[in-house]
Amino acid sequence: QVQLVESGGGSVQPGGSLRLSCAASGFDLATYSVGWFRQAPGKEREIVSCIAHKDNSTYYSDSSKGRFTISRNKDKNTVDLQMDDLKSEDTDAYVCGIARGWGCPLFPFDYDDWGQGTQVFVPS
């Protein structure tokens, strides 16, 4: 059974860190491009970061650049998002998605499957 499961969310003080993990079961995550998105209630998913299947090139949104790092862990079959220097505006649900193809899609409609998400809360 193909499944994506996110973990690692939680509550952290401003300036703190969290490490989100997107774990795949039933397939090899390394054969997909993987994106991390954030989603507020009632709003569309917004790209945070992506790692491409083709060459593991990465993309970061302006708000995540310099603070977040996306990486693959092939041994664990995960894609992780290290989030440092967290701010209150980072508060949201974070969800990972997989996309077939070589590049790094920036929009949700280009993704084929999603996990359930994990919540990140940073108080102001």
Side-chain angles (χ1 to χ4, degrees), residues 5-6 33 35 40 46-47 49 54 60 67 82 93 97 100 108 110 121 124:
V5 178
E6 299 93 336
S33 296
E46 176 184 318
I47 186 79
S49 183
K54 178 181 180 181
Y60 296 95
R67 299 187 299 125
Q82 178 66 38
R100 295 175 181 85
D110 286 322
F121 177 71
S124 53

Side-chain angles (χ1 to χ4, degrees), residues 4 6 17 32 38 40 43 75 77 83 91 93 95 101 111 118:
L4 283 171
E6 299 93 336
S17 298
Y32 291 84
R38 59 186 297 174
K43 293 190 176 180
D75 291 339
N77 202 23
M83 308 169 76
T91 294
V95 61
Y111 285 75
T118 186

Side-chain angles (χ1 to χ4, degrees), residues 42-87:
K43 293 190 176 180
E44 275 213 12
R45 288 174 180 166
E46 176 184 318
I47 186 79
V48 174
S49 183
C50 174
I51 186 163
H53 169 213
K54 178 181 180 181
D55 55 5
N56 284 327
S57 58
T58 56
Y59 168 86
Y60 296 95
S61 65
D62 286 345
S63 63
S64 67
K65 201 174 298 181
R67 299 187 299 125
F68 296 179
T69 305
I70 192 169
S71 61
R72 292 189 188 272
N73 186 322
K74 293 188 177 181
D75 291 339
K76 294 185 179 180
N77 202 23
T78 64
V79 168
D80 301 329
L81 185 69
Q82 178 66 38
M83 308 169 76
D84 297 320
D85 189 24
L86 281 160
K87 306 175 181 180

